[in-house]
Amino acid sequence: MARLPGTADVSGLPPEQAPDLTAAPEAAQAEVPPELVAQSLGEYFRAWLARIAAGESGVLPVIVAMAAIVLVFGAISPNHVFLLPVNLVNLFQQSAVFMVLAMAEGFALVLGEIDLSVGFVGACGAAITVQLVQPLTTNWHWTLAILAGVLFCAAFGVIQGTLITRLRLPSFIVTLAGYLIANGLFLWILNFGPFSGYPNLAGFSDNLHVIYYLMWGTIDPNVSWGLAAAVVLGLGGWMWYSDRRRRTSGLVAPPASLTLIKIGLIAVVAVVVVAICNTNRASLGVLEGVPWVIPIVLAVLVAWTILLQRTRYGRYVYAIGGNPEAARRAGINLALIRTAAFALCSLTAGIGMLLYASLLGGMSNNVQGGQYVLYAVAAAVIGGTSLFGGRGKALHGVLGGLVIGGIYNGMFLMGLSVQWEYVVTGLVLLAAVTIDSLSRRGAATGSVARV
Amino acid sequence: MAAVASTTATGEPLLKIRELDKHFGPVQALYHVDLDLPSGQVTALVGDNGAGKTVLTKCVAGIYQPDHGQVFWESHPVHIRNARDAARLGIETVYQDLALADNLDIVQNMFLGRERVNAGLLDEDSMERSAAETLASLRVTTVRSIRQPVASLSGGQRQSVAVAKAVMWNSKLVIMDEPTAALGVVQTKQVLDLIKRLRDRGLAVMVISHNLNDVFEVADRIAVLYLGRLVVQDKASAFDRQSVVEYMTTGGTTRSGGTPTRNS
């Protein structure tokens, strides 16, 4: 073996005792997720701390950000209005749009691409839905109208994805063009019918009501508790069962105490959310119960989590994001997987902007599709999705969306004008990208042997 | 036909290449190459830069299509049109860049493209068990957890995972491109031991290497490419360092040892 001059005798040891220069040093060891090697809770937390010290912070930054938002806005908002149930529910509703858009953007980001068109493509889909349910014109059933809206979005995504994968055009440019085209289409769609460009959801029609209730409808408080219990028991039971099965068959599994803590945290979150939502938040009369939008967001989260974590399709998305060449050699059809990801991204954006239309009670040319794209990217990255591809989960979009929603809501309550909201969101995005970039650099220098 | 091509005691070599030609535009990358790869033996393919080692490998792996010539697999003529054809025959290639996805864990990488599914969902438990068995059978025991991302592995561990990935599919021929190029002393030894274990399992192994230390450490047979021609192949014991270097640099030798397949 050729050695560099001057390094040959530094150790003065025979070869078999010489230090193994290619062995992964401590920093790389710390990259190992703690649940894989820890046998007990104590070991787990030590490994976790080591991992954070090495720059692999996981969801910690987003949790810290959430805590900071709650503490700061809770303290400084007038009369602590930020923490009132009425505002917190409002915050969930506003954040839901960011969450779903961030989950959409996640498909592009995990591939190492970006989709700038989500805001206006989603807005087109939502405008189509809102137009189709209008009793004065087409009066479609709400299921068909929603289907038409999201299918339009999916088709738009297929076209963008095809251009990106087959013609090898950069996603940044293709989706920038898609953003402009969708913006134009959106304004065009709005002008149909006798609504002067403002089709809304007010009026006497079941179809209108259903779209409106996506955001504003509430579930009976008792049913809310029942649903929350079902979710916690179902999810917790499944986690407990699968972890126990893995433990008993000798596979890699977290310690039982850790599984219990995770289930406990899910239960606490469920109880807190339902308790907040079940408080009567109307100043006159009764307004209580969990808004429909929470189970809707949960359903999207569960569906995309299963797709990305538990199916071949999801595995291939991560593989392409991590190493496209490896994926190609493994016989994966890259063009198909990527095109489908752009279609899913646009489809999910359609769901997100439909919730936005419901929040606004209609569609108008005031929709800030461009700004919402940036919020979607920001939310995904803040939640822990990497801008460099290969890393990210649907859950990251939900957590990041809550942070963006919290800032948005808190700044509004403070009476700060919109320019400050932009500045703060931009700063938070910068912080998130910095953390993402630093952790990546830490990982890269950590394993010397990476070539 | 190559008279000196050594065959195993069982007769025909696993893979037999005859008169293989490949050109890229005006460049003749391979010219009338004959090569035998017998089971249970490590064949080292050596040659200077540009001799055509990688092209030959890619012809066998189905990445390139040869212009002329025949390939016999277990004595039957075959056409390997793509990587899937090669995999179906039992040919697996470990490229120099290893083709591992850093963000996926060891199990996920080993099963990439061939995941087991159960009712539409990935059957992680079954895949993890099989991956663990394969790694254990190759005595790759230094990894801390089979579920750690490949990004956290050392160079030798990554190489071991790539090899384990290749042998998991009942492969009969494993081709390795510069398996020790990026490794330190200890890790090189790990990988060479791994190659010997593959041979002991009865696999045919073809190793491309520049490092003659490694070649003489591990190879049963040596084949030398020189400017697209396979100038010699024989038992490793028929060569010494000097003669291999001469074959690599001049295409012939002035010394005894190693019998040229063809006067070039």
Side-chain angles (χ1 to χ4, degrees), chain B residues 80-96:
Chain B
I80 305 170
R81 286 178 302 270
N82 51 46
R84 283 193 183 265
D85 279 359
R88 210 169 295 132
L89 291 173
I91 301 173
E92 292 286 339
T93 310
V94 180
Y95 292 97
Q96 199 169 354

Side-chain angles (χ1 to χ4, degrees), chain A residues 186-187 190 198 356 360 363-369:
Chain A
F186 172 63
L187 298 174
L190 284 180
Y198 295 90
Y356 185 56
L360 295 181
M363 264 308 192
S364 78
N365 56 14
N366 288 329
V367 169
Q368 299 286 312

Side-chain angles (χ1 to χ4, degrees), chain A residues 1 20 22 29 33 36 245-246 251-252 310-312 315-316 318-319 322-323 326 329-331 390 447 449-450, chain B residues 84 95 97 99-100 102-103 108 113 115 121-122 124-125 128 144-145 147-149 151 154-155 183-184 187 211:
Chain A
M1 301 292 291
D20 179 2
T22 59
Q29 294 287 330
L36 301 182
R245 194 189 56 213
R246 291 177 62 82
L251 299 172
V252 176
R310 302 274 161 209
T311 68
R312 274 190 175 174
R315 181 62 42 82
Y316 295 168
Y318 285 107
N323 186 346
R329 293 215 198 115
S447 47
R450 182 186 306 227
Chain B
R84 283 193 183 265
Y95 292 97
D97 65 4
L100 299 173
D102 273 355
N103 56 332
Q108 292 170 340
E115 290 82 1
L121 299 182
L122 295 170
E124 295 285 355
D125 294 8
E128 185 174 326
R144 296 221 298 176
S145 164
R147 282 295 181 186
Q148 71 190 81
S154 70
L183 303 183
Q187 309 234 342
N211 188 325

Side-chain angles (χ1 to χ4, degrees), chain B:
Chain B
M1 282 295 155
V4 294
S6 64
T7 51
T8 53
T10 55
E12 282 289 298
L14 177 72
L15 183 87
K16 219 164 57 167
I17 295 171
R18 288 294 174 264
E19 308 255 320
L20 192 105
D21 285 349
K22 176 72 189 172
H23 69 85
F24 297 96
V27 180
Q28 191 75 28
L30 295 175
Y31 182 74
H32 282 345
V33 168
D34 292 349
L35 178 66
D36 292 343
L37 297 175
S39 293
Q41 297 196 30
V42 178
T43 306
L45 183 63
V46 297
D48 207 352
N49 287 339
K53 305 185 297 288
T54 306
V55 177
L56 180 57
T57 324
K58 288 189 170 173
C59 285
V60 176
I63 310 281
Y64 292 152
Q65 299 305 304
D67 302 325
H68 299 288
Q70 279 183 301
V71 177
F72 296 90
W73 179 257
E74 294 174 328
S75 307
H76 303 293
V78 288
H79 287 284
I80 305 170
R81 286 178 302 270
N82 51 46
R84 283 193 183 265
D85 279 359
R88 210 169 295 132
L89 291 173
I91 301 173
E92 292 286 339
T93 310
V94 180
Y95 292 97
Q96 199 169 354
D97 65 4
L98 303 184
L100 299 173
D102 273 355
N103 56 332
L104 299 185
D105 67 34
I106 295 175
V107 181
Q108 292 170 340
N109 265 294
M110 286 175 70
F111 276 89
L112 187 60
R114 302 184 242 204
E115 290 82 1
R116 288 184 196 156
V117 288
N118 187 358
L121 299 182
L122 295 170
D123 190 350
E124 295 285 355
D125 294 8
S126 144
M127 289 194 278
E128 185 174 326
R129 232 171 269 131
S130 300
E133 275 167 24
T134 304
L135 287 173
S137 76
L138 294 172
R139 280 181 264 156
V140 178
T141 49
T142 57
V143 293
R144 296 221 298 176
S145 164
I146 193 168
R147 282 295 181 186
Q148 71 190 81
V150 165
S152 64
L153 298 180
S154 70
Q157 290 171 332
R158 292 160 72 87
Q159 187 78 42
S160 303
V161 169
V163 171
K165 178 183 177 184
V167 300
M168 196 152 68
W169 308 99
N170 292 321
S171 47
K172 296 172 178 167
L173 167 61
V174 175
I175 302 171
M176 302 173 76
D177 192 354
E178 297 280 2
T180 57
L183 303 183
V185 177
V186 178
Q187 309 234 342
T188 297
K189 186 173 179 314
Q190 277 176 14
V191 171
L192 294 181
D193 287 347
L194 188 59
I195 294 172
K196 290 176 194 163
R197 280 198 284 278
L198 298 185
R199 170 188 60 199
D200 297 344
R201 287 172 148 209
L203 274 69
V205 183
M206 178 161 93
V207 176
I208 297 176
S209 185
H210 269 113
N211 188 325
L212 292 184
N213 283 336
D214 296 354
V215 167
F216 278 100
E217 160 89 25
V218 82
D220 302 297
R221 302 176 67 251
I222 293 175
V224 184
L225 269 174
Y226 174 72
L227 299 180
R229 291 160 197 267
L230 196 100
V231 289
V232 63
Q233 60 176 323
D234 207 338
K235 292 191 295 291
S237 54
F239 297 90
D240 57 26
R241 254 157 210 285
Q242 207 66 42
S243 62
V244 171
V245 170
E246 269 186 59
Y247 276 118
M248 283 168 67
T249 50
T250 66
T253 182
T254 53
R255 300 154 59 94
S256 59
T259 318
T261 51
R262 181 179 287 110
N263 293 322
S264 47

Side-chain angles (χ1 to χ4, degrees), chain A residues 128-178:
Chain A
I128 289 172
T129 306
V130 171
Q131 286 282 21
L132 287 176
V133 292
Q134 293 299 332
L136 281 176
T137 52
T138 40
N139 198 21
W140 282 28
H141 193 260
W142 61 271
T143 47
L144 291 176
I146 291 178
L147 198 65
V150 295
L151 281 183
F152 167 85
C153 294
F156 203 100
V158 168
I159 295 170
Q160 292 191 132
T162 306
L163 291 172
I164 292 162
T165 58
R166 308 280 173 183
L167 297 185
R168 295 165 200 268
L169 305 179
S171 59
F172 185 88
I173 301 298
V174 170
T175 58
L176 186 61

